Amino acid sequence: MKQFAFNLIILLSIIFCLLCCISCKTTYSQKINIDKTNIPVSTYEDKDFIRVDGTKLVCADGSDFFIKGMAFGNTVWGNVNTEPRFHHTKESYKELKEMGFNSVRFYINYQLFESDAKPYVYRKNGFEWLDKNIQWAKENGIYLIVNMHVPQGGFQSNGDGRALFKNPENQSRLIELWKVIADYYKDCSTILGWGLVNEPVVQYVQNDEKESLKTWHSLAQRITEAIRSVDKNHILFVEKAISIMDDNHNYFSFEEKDSYPIIQDENLVYEFHSYDPIQFTHQQASWIPQLKETIKYPDDTKYIIESPHWQKQNTVQFRKLADFPVEWTEFSYTFCANDEDFSKTNVFCASIKPGFIDKGELLIDDIIITETDKNGNSRILKEYDFNEDTNLYFGTNPEIPDGKSFWTNSDGHNKKGCYKIIQTKSWAYLTAPDYFILKKDCTYTISVWAKTKNLNKQTCYAEFGFDLSHSQNASTFTKDYIQQVILNHIKTIEDLGKPIFVGEFGCIRNCFEGNGGLEYVKDSLEVFRDYTAGFSYHTYHEWNFGLHYTNPGWQLPNEEEVNTELKEFFTEILPSF
């Protein structure tokens, strides 16, 4: 009897578990509830597709294919529920073909295909709009790279779309949407491929950068598997994670090699974007107030330093602030790097380190950095006159985070602007934004004007001099710089054995107003060609970066408001490129 009761309990437990599993599956199925009833019937029956062959792309006849692309932004940040009627027309594809382009990187926003109010219910608007563009592109011999520029969770590039990585439901919706789109267009050869997610910015998790990056690696693999379950014809374009960010909008550094997902798929291209240096390509962009300076290209006197890693400070305490005069006084410090410095560092910036200002004030003005070679020839590397607001970097002891630094427009050495430091109750630092290449057999001098007000004479101090750092990319702003940037990207992913695609590059309009924008584009294209890296120029129609710069929200592109020199250059160079 006991044995019977025991067996009955076991049997009931098994039945209960099975019912739970069925219940769970039913709940999940009801949750997904895919609805494709609004989608038109696909009529594509193409057979010949461009595919990946080693590190290059090949056509069905075996000939090589090199991507010469232009971006269609499609106002994905604007009215996303209807097709962007003013962004481009059928004639736009003809125009691109005549200039020598063979591809369009075609941006989409998920909301044209699916609404947040009705997840997994797919809208015909997006498919009809894409069908129409495919027909226009096909008539002009143009291929489309369909790029998910705004996925569920939001636009990624600025870090405001991390809900994609924080909310599993957003990932499920993205995966299902890609599966539906790929299934519908699986036999359309005018589509070159699918760009999984544009510029992913991942959520910082587990206090670990590598674990954070794995969230993108995992999602990219899941999207790949979903697409491949219905479409084995199209190329997948996979980008690296561009940033890691936490909920306080703090960024976290990582090794470049860890940012690319290692995807198990043969028909795949790795993609990166190149707007380097951003202080040139985005100069005076309204949404980046720090980039006020006008920069010209090429300039063999300007140094471009990428991602410097601080190694050592070389400062000298020039006097206790108790001895500072209350009137403006000039001080200077001269430094020459030794062999030990060169073994670890290659760049430097100006640095001021005030301490215990407390209720007093330290005013800084007219900083000049001078380089002198072994023959006594001197040149000024940089002057900061502070007549206008200048973006110096200010920080304090994190354990005692008091202190402020700000620009004032009337208290300076020449009765104009200066920088003022107040309320520091421990050490602090103020560093200039410009880095310079450290050279052997050269001495470097920093001169600065300073004055003080109401200081505690027993505790205050200040040091000034140079911070020494190491940078992977450090060169003058010439074609050599562009080549080094692209080469660093290529070195990161060349072991993966896949083709390389520069999915975005370009310049803001200000670059073309006598600042060398055309020369930058020309040199960039030559470097891309040298390394067999296909490209897509950003962008066709947009106010800031567009070849056409009417407002795409309500004005069609026209020949009156167009970047004429850029269009003429493309028309001349691309047909034989």
Side-chain angles (χ1 to χ4, degrees):
M1 186 68 182
K2 290 183 179 179
Q3 182 64 41
F4 173 77
F6 177 77
N7 291 339
L8 181 61
I9 292 171
I10 294 296
L11 179 61
L12 290 174
S13 298
I14 293 172
I15 293 172
F16 177 76
C17 290
L18 288 172
L19 289 173
C20 287
C21 291
I22 293 171
S23 174
C24 289
K25 287 183 178 180
T26 303
T27 302
Y28 180 73
S29 176
Q30 290 173 347
K31 180 180 179 182
I32 296 295
N33 194 23
I34 303 297
D35 185 346
K36 299 190 288 184
T37 56
N38 295 324
I39 300 177
V41 177
S42 176
T43 59
Y44 299 101
E45 297 179 345
D46 301 338
K47 302 297 183 185
D48 298 331
F49 290 83
I50 295 172
R51 300 186 64 82
V52 169
D53 183 7
T55 58
K56 61 183 181 180
L57 304 183
V58 295
C59 301
D61 62 5
S63 59
D64 292 348
F65 183 81
F66 182 79
I67 300 175
K68 298 182 289 184
M70 171 67 79
F72 273 11
N74 295 322
T75 62
V76 291
W77 306 278
N79 183 6
V80 296
N81 295 312
T82 59
E83 65 175 86
R85 294 185 300 112
F86 294 100
H87 180 271
H88 63 271
T89 66
K90 179 179 179 178
E91 292 302 310
S92 301
Y93 287 96
K94 180 181 178 181
E95 179 187 13
L96 292 182
K97 186 65 174 179
E98 290 174 348
M99 280 191 282
F101 289 96
N102 61 18
S103 309
V104 164
R105 187 170 182 257
F106 196 86
Y107 301 179
I108 63 173
N109 186 316
Y110 78 96
Q111 293 180 77
L112 193 56
F113 296 82
E114 175 204 43
S115 74
D116 291 328
K118 295 182 177 180
Y120 306 106
V121 178
Y122 300 109
R123 309 171 63 198
K124 66 178 181 179
N125 307 49
F127 291 90
E128 290 176 343
W129 170 63
L130 196 47
D131 285 340
K132 179 168 60 177
N133 277 272
I134 288 170
Q135 183 61 35
W136 291 346
K138 184 176 182 179
E139 291 174 5
N140 290 280
I142 297 290
Y143 292 91
L144 299 185
I145 302 170
V146 180
N147 173 263
M148 187 62 73
H149 219 72
V150 183
Q152 291 86 341
F155 178 60
Q156 295 288 296
S157 304
N158 57 12
D160 292 333
R162 286 171 293 114
L164 174 62
F165 296 96
K166 297 168 70 174
N167 185 345
E169 176 70 1
N170 285 330
Q171 296 186 23
S172 296
R173 288 173 57 192
L174 174 61
I175 291 168
E176 290 298 331
L177 176 58
W178 263 129
K179 184 176 179 179
V180 171
I181 292 174
D183 187 32
Y184 183 90
Y185 293 105
K186 61 179 178 291
D187 294 318
C188 174
S189 61
T190 300
I191 291 178
L192 182 60
W194 311 117
L196 305 190
V197 175
N198 183 73
E199 297 185 350
V201 176
V202 302
Q203 176 71 16
Y204 187 53
V205 296
Q206 299 182 26
N207 295 320
D208 189 302
E209 288 80 359
K210 286 189 176 181
E211 290 301 317
S212 302
L213 292 170
K214 287 179 181 177
T215 60
W216 165 232
H217 300 179
S218 172
L219 177 58
Q221 183 64 47
R222 291 165 63 202
I223 295 173
T224 297
E225 292 169 0
I227 291 175
R228 287 296 180 240
S229 70
V230 295
D231 175 14
K232 295 178 172 57
N233 291 326
H234 290 104
I235 298 168
L236 302 183
F237 291 82
V238 181
E239 300 183 36
K240 65 175 185 174
I242 65 167
S243 298
I244 302 172
M245 184 184 286
D246 67 11
D247 289 335
N248 294 318
H249 281 243
N250 295 312
Y251 287 93
F252 297 84
S253 60
F254 52 88
E255 294 291 333
E256 191 80 358
K257 62 181 177 60
D258 295 328
S259 63
Y260 284 95
I262 309 301
I263 301 297
Q264 302 304 316
D265 192 84
E266 294 298 320
N267 203 21
L268 179 144
V269 169
Y270 280 105
E271 175 180 339
F272 64 87
H273 299 170
S274 182
Y275 290 104
D276 300 304
I278 194 171
Q279 56 264 46
F280 173 76
T281 61
H282 287 62
Q283 59 183 290
Q284 294 152 28
S286 60
W287 62 96
I288 312 178
Q290 299 91 335
L291 302 182
K292 297 178 180 180
E293 184 180 1
T294 297
I295 297 177
K296 297 181 182 294
Y297 176 89
D299 184 353
D300 60 7
T301 67
K302 182 172 184 61
Y303 297 111
I304 302 295
I305 313 299
E306 296 293 326
S307 303
H309 297 286
W310 181 85
Q311 297 288 339
K312 175 184 178 183
Q313 54 181 300
N314 195 294
T315 57
V316 59
Q317 182 174 321
F318 55 88
R319 66 172 61 191
K320 289 284 186 181
L321 289 184
D323 301 327
F324 265 35
V326 294
E327 301 298 331
W328 285 104
T329 303
E330 184 180 18
F331 303 93
S332 65
Y333 165 63
T334 298
F335 159 73
C336 181
N338 57 35
D339 289 340
E340 180 183 353
D341 295 325
F342 279 105
S343 69
K344 298 179 180 179
T345 64
N346 62 350
V347 297
F348 68 93
C349 70
S351 176
I352 298 170
K353 294 181 172 60
F356 300 96
I357 305 300
D358 201 9
K359 297 179 181 179
E361 297 179 1
L362 171 62
L363 285 71
I364 300 294
D365 199 2
D366 293 330
I367 298 174
I368 299 176
I369 304 170
T370 305
E371 177 185 82
T372 303
D373 65 22
K374 62 182 179 181
N375 298 317
N377 301 311
S378 297
R379 64 168 180 155
I380 294 176
L381 296 179
K382 186 70 178 181
E383 295 184 67
Y384 302 96
D385 62 18
F386 301 115
N387 290 341
E388 296 181 354
D389 192 0
T390 304
N391 290 290
L392 301 186
Y393 301 123
F394 178 73
T396 61
N397 181 347
E399 297 179 359
I400 310 176
D402 289 322
K404 296 179 181 179
S405 169
F406 56 91
W407 177 78
T408 177
N409 64 2
S410 59
D411 294 335
H413 168 230
N414 293 315
K415 308 300 181 183
K416 295 182 179 179
C418 70
Y419 244 80
K420 187 178 292 189
I421 303 165
I422 62 174
Q423 298 177 3
T424 62
K425 298 184 183 302
S426 179
W427 56 264
Y429 61 88
L430 189 70
T431 55
D434 302 283
Y435 281 79
F436 305 94
I437 295 176
L438 197 62
K439 297 179 181 178
K440 288 189 176 182
D441 302 321
C442 285
T443 59
Y444 298 93
T445 299
I446 177 174
S447 65
V448 58
W449 287 79
K451 67 179 280 188
T452 63
K453 295 181 180 179
N454 305 321
L455 296 177
N456 183 327
K457 296 184 178 182
Q458 304 303 317
T459 59
C460 311
Y461 70 87
E463 299 175 347
F464 73 110
F466 303 104
D467 276 356
L468 306 185
S469 303
H470 182 270
S471 172
Q472 184 178 11
N473 297 335
S475 64
T476 54
F477 192 29
T478 61
K479 185 180 179 180
D480 289 342
Y481 166 80
I482 297 174
Q483 183 168 348
Q484 186 61 51
V485 168
I486 300 304
L487 184 59
N488 287 338
H489 281 292
I490 290 173
K491 286 180 177 178
T492 301
I493 55 180
E494 62 183 352
D495 291 341
L496 301 177
K498 299 295 183 182
I500 296 166
F501 177 49
V502 186
E504 290 184 29
F505 88 105
C507 295
I508 201 168
R509 284 175 61 187
N510 295 333
C511 295
F512 295 97
E513 297 173 356
N515 296 321
L518 188 63
E519 290 78 5
Y520 176 89
V521 172
K522 174 179 178 294
D523 286 350
S524 295
L525 288 181
E526 290 179 355
V527 172
F528 300 159
R529 180 176 58 189
D530 291 344
Y531 291 105
T532 323
F535 64 86
S536 178
Y537 186 84
H538 179 86
T539 183
Y540 175 72
H541 186 194
E542 182 191 277
W543 171 253
N544 289 295
F545 280 81
L547 176 69
H548 293 274
Y549 47 81
T550 54
N551 190 311
W554 61 80
Q555 293 175 288
L556 287 168
N558 60 61
E559 290 304 308
E560 284 69 46
E561 296 176 276
V562 63
N563 188 330
T564 303
E565 65 170 350
L566 183 60
K567 182 173 181 177
E568 290 177 349
F569 167 73
F570 283 144
T571 303
E572 176 185 357
I573 197 74
L574 288 185
S576 59
F577 193 78

